[in-house]
């Protein structure tokens, strides 16, 4: 995950959220979970910065969207303990970043008015920057 790619993803995410009249925080992590890029829109609560980072880490680590993971923790008794792992945030808005079938990082969005908006902004940015097939849940 280059800095240039991470910044393109962050820029596209902020623009996607603004297109629906929302501000947000976006975090992009590399395949090792290290933060590469972080952008925060105007007037977004400070707790959303950490939430975006944790969503990005969770999506990378589990190779799953955080909304799917959140639902799995409710529906599958064997997954319920995931909520006890402090590094994971089971709240929609995190997506793994996939190129040619390989997970190269994760993106997390927070503060745009709910998990559905957060995921929408992330998904649109991924499609714009990485192309079709990269924004799988």
């Amino acid at each position: 995950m280059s800095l240039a790619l991470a910044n393109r993803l962050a820029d596209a995410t902020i623009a996607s959220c603004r297109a629906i009249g929302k501000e947000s925080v976006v975090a992009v992590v590399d395949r090792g979970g290290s933060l590469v890029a972080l952008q925060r829109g105007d007037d977004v609560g400070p707790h959303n910065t950490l939430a975006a980072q944790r969503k990005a880490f969770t999506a990378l680590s589990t190779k799953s969207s955080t909304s799917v993971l959140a639902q799995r923790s409710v529906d599958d008794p064997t997954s319920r303990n995931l909520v006890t792992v402090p590094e994971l945030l089971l709240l929609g808005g995190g997506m793994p970043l996939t190129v040619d079938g390989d997970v190269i990082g994760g993106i997390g969005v927070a503060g745009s008015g709910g998990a559905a908006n957060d995921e929408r902004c992330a998904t649109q940015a991924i499609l714009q920057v990485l192309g079709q097939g990269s924004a799988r849940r």
Side-chain angles (χ1 to χ4, degrees), residues 20-100:
I20 59 170
K22 302 293 183 179
E23 293 290 334
S24 65
V25 176
V26 59
V28 180
V29 299
D30 64 16
R31 70 177 74 232
S34 296
L35 183 64
V36 179
L38 178 74
Q39 291 189 30
R40 185 185 63 80
D42 299 332
D43 299 320
V44 178
H47 67 283
N48 290 298
T49 299
L50 181 58
Q53 291 178 61
R54 287 182 57 204
K55 288 179 185 184
F57 179 86
T58 300
L60 162 75
S61 183
T62 63
K63 298 178 180 165
S64 176
S65 76
T66 54
S67 63
V68 166
L69 198 60
Q71 192 61 51
R72 188 178 307 143
S73 74
V74 171
D75 295 340
D76 178 7
T78 64
S79 298
R80 289 195 180 128
N81 283 337
L82 288 173
V83 298
T84 66
V85 180
E87 295 81 11
L88 301 182
L89 183 57
L90 306 185
L91 182 63
M95 302 288 291
L97 298 170
T98 306
V99 174
D100 296 329

